[in-house]
Structure formats: C-alpha cells, structure tokens
Amino acid sequence: MRVLITGGAGFIGSNLAKELQSAYPKAKIWVLDNFSSGHFKNLLGFKGEVITADLSEPTLWEWLKRNFHFDVVFHHGAITDTTVMDQFKMLRVNADSMRFILDAVLAWKAKLIYASSAGVYGNSPSPMKEGEGEFPENPYGFSKLMMDRIALNFMEENPHIKVVGLRYFNVYGPGESYKGKTASMVYQLYKQMKEGKRPRLFKWGEQRRDFVYIKDVIRANLLAMERDVSGIFNIATGVARSFNEIVSILNQLLGTNLEPDYFDCPYDFYQNYTQADITKAREFLGYEPQYSLEEGIKDYLKYL
C-alpha cells in the first residue's frame, strides 16, 4: 500500500503517519508539507519520505501524477488558524487545492480521506448534524464548507472513487504544541497552570465544546480507509464540555487549585457551543469514541 499524507508534519498528520507505520508495517508512506505550521520534530521516528511543497500549486499535483502512484491519500494540509481573515488566501489554500487533489486521486484511482471541520456549523444549534445548519462564522469555516461541496460534487460524478470527509470537532493531544496559539484549549490551559499561572478564559468559562482526543481521531481515519464508503462524517465524542470543566480536571490531575482569570472575548465570530451528532459515523464507519475528556486529558499528560 502506497500512502500520501498532506500536512503530514502537522498535529493530526504526524500522528496518523506514525500510526499507519505501526498498523501497516509494509506500507510505503510519503508526507507532504510546507512546514508553515508543521514541525520536523513531529516526524521523529517516521520512516517514510518527506516531500516539501505547497499543496495549493497545481504544478505540484501534475508532477506527483507523473512520478508517483498512491493507493490512499490522507489530506490534512490546510491553513488551520481560524483567526486568519485573508479570504483569498484561505480559500485558495483550503478549498481550491481540493480540486487538484481530487483530480490526482481520480488519475490514481486512489481513496481520499480528508480533514473537514466543525467550523462549517458556526453557531448553529447543537447537536450539529451533517447537511444541516452549515453557516460558518469565519473564512476558515467557509473554506472547509467549500471543500465539502467540491468533494460532494466529485462523489456524485465519480462514484467509483471513495472519498471520505471527516469533520473534526475540537481535537487535542500529543503533537499539537508546535501549532502555537492555535493549539487546543486543553494544551493552552495546561501550559499556563503547569507554570503556576491562573488559567485565562473568556467570560465566564461556560462556553462548551465537543473535545475529541487525537487517538479517537486517528482511529476514525483508519476506519475511513478500511470501510468501503464515501461521505462526510462528524468526528467527535457527541458530548459538549465547558472550559471551566477542563480547568477543574487539570487542577485535579496536576494537584493545583488555580482559579480562572476571566476576560472579555475579542472575537465576534466565536463559537459558543459545539456538540456533534455522531450517529452517521457510528453507522457507516463503525466509529465509537474511546476517550472521555477526563480519560483523554489523563492520557495526554503522560506525553506532556
């Protein structure tokens, strides 16, 4: 099996590369990344090759089609900073590049599994369900929605090519530290509290998110690869938890008693409540989250 992972030096991509390497030791794996938000240290222990390139350049995909053949493509390369307001850049990198990738998987007759996002739902009512309430609040969410639209049109026109979009909710876990300010709130709060600082939260810490641990996300990718299915699926726990609860869990695990430092939210596009309906992923992928927030954070601290 020959596998390409775009964004493979990033948080999810690097975890996926290592898990594929472990689960499929005979597979040949290539990682493609421009290292704008990925980091080589995420790939220490990875035994495959790295292609350094910008995935939004069509000439790259023409070169790849001429010189490589892949059986599976995992597409995780993207601008992941949700605060980027440059609409042209966001859509060019996240949405337009999807067309080049789909053209390539069609030529290779490869399966495509790609990263979508809960950002497509904006502040729609929870639980959020695929095909409903898709009203993003920022360019990032809109770019991911456009990716999904491009993918759905492709699936309709090319039913013999399997394409799976995974709408990740709030992913946290080992390998995200190089994302800096865009790393999860679990990581940000841990870092502050480990240094003895009061954890900083937007008032009043009761914003709720569907936090999903990286190990559940990676298993969802493998299920998507192994199942003979196409479609778009929410990947989450199906349970919304507050930022105050993260602080409480970290206080317990770290043996601290730090009170949150609340401040005003500076963003007018902020998602206040996200919770996924994961019925479709359960039915078609056989996906079932294994980690609650408490279990995920406890496991994460072993790596931190």
Side-chain angles (χ1 to χ4, degrees):
M1 182 170 67
R2 298 165 71 84
V3 181
L4 175 66
I5 305 173
T6 73
F11 170 34
I12 298 175
S14 61
N15 275 284
L16 177 60
K18 291 174 186 174
E19 184 58 30
L20 279 167
Q21 183 174 270
S22 172
Y24 296 90
K26 292 184 178 179
K28 291 193 171 185
I29 305 169
W30 284 259
V31 154
L32 188 152
D33 210 298
N34 71 351
F35 292 88
S36 59
S37 58
H39 201 285
F40 80 89
K41 287 191 176 179
N42 277 341
L43 290 172
L44 296 180
F46 171 61
K47 296 172 184 174
E49 290 185 33
V50 173
I51 301 167
T52 313
D54 180 348
L55 61 81
S56 65
E57 291 298 331
T59 51
L60 164 69
W61 294 98
E62 292 303 319
W63 176 78
L64 287 171
K65 281 193 291 183
R66 286 195 309 271
N67 294 282
F68 291 86
H69 178 88
F70 296 105
D71 302 298
V72 185
V73 176
F74 290 93
H75 175 37
H76 284 85
I79 296 173
T80 58
D81 185 347
T82 58
T83 65
V84 170
M85 291 295 115
D86 185 335
Q87 298 175 66
F88 177 82
K89 182 180 179 182
M90 184 70 81
L91 284 156
R92 181 174 175 272
V93 173
N94 289 7
D96 289 347
S97 60
M98 187 67 165
R99 295 186 179 95
F100 310 143
I101 294 164
L102 287 166
D103 183 60
V105 299
L106 183 60
W108 294 322
K109 295 182 173 55
K111 182 162 193 172
L112 174 65
I113 296 105
Y114 73 92
S116 183
S117 169
V120 304
Y121 297 114
N123 278 306
S124 296
S126 293
M128 294 154 168
K129 189 172 183 177
E130 304 91 341
E132 299 176 9
E134 295 168 347
F135 299 103
E137 293 278 341
N138 57 17
Y140 171 78
F142 183 73
S143 73
K144 289 293 184 176
L145 181 58
M146 289 304 101
M147 280 180 74
D148 289 343
R149 296 268 170 81
I150 293 164
L152 286 167
N153 284 333
F154 178 90
M155 290 178 216
E156 190 177 325
E157 293 171 8
N158 302 279
H160 61 295
I161 303 293
K162 298 302 178 187
V163 177
V164 178
L166 301 177
R167 282 183 180 166
Y168 303 138
F169 279 63
N170 288 74
V171 188
Y172 65 99
E176 65 170 318
S177 60
Y178 297 109
K179 291 179 70 176
K181 67 174 186 175
T182 63
S184 75
M185 282 297 292
V186 173
Y187 177 76
Q188 307 282 7
L189 294 170
Y190 161 80
K191 198 175 171 189
Q192 293 166 28
M193 294 170 73
K194 188 69 176 174
E195 294 170 359
K197 299 174 183 174
R198 289 175 63 190
R200 302 194 78 222
L201 295 176
F202 296 151
K203 293 177 180 175
W204 296 100
E206 283 304 306
Q207 305 89 344
R208 304 180 85 80
R209 292 282 186 279
D210 196 328
F211 297 99
V212 57
Y213 192 43
I214 185 65
K215 291 183 179 179
D216 281 331
V217 165
I218 299 308
R219 199 173 63 264
N221 274 269
L222 296 190
L223 287 167
M225 180 183 72
E226 292 159 359
R227 296 286 173 116
D228 187 29
V229 66
S230 285
I232 295 172
F233 306 92
N234 289 335
I235 301 300
T237 63
V239 180
R241 304 291 295 272
S242 73
F243 294 136
N244 284 329
E245 287 178 279
I246 296 176
V247 171
S248 176
I249 294 165
L250 285 169
N251 268 324
Q252 185 179 359
L253 291 172
L254 295 172
T256 52
N257 190 27
L258 295 162
E259 291 290 325
D261 175 18
Y262 298 112
F263 66 105
D264 291 326
C265 175
Y267 305 114
D268 59 3
F269 54 82
Y270 195 70
Q271 283 180 297
N272 287 305
Y273 190 103
T274 66
Q275 180 180 345
D277 181 331
I278 58 172
T279 305
K280 191 178 171 187
R282 281 192 173 114
E283 182 180 349
F284 291 96
L285 299 180
Y287 167 77
E288 191 67 47
Q290 301 297 308
Y291 290 86
S292 66
L293 185 60
E294 286 83 357
E295 292 162 339
I297 294 176
K298 185 177 181 182
D299 190 72
Y300 190 8
L301 291 192
K302 296 175 191 173
Y303 300 89
L304 291 170

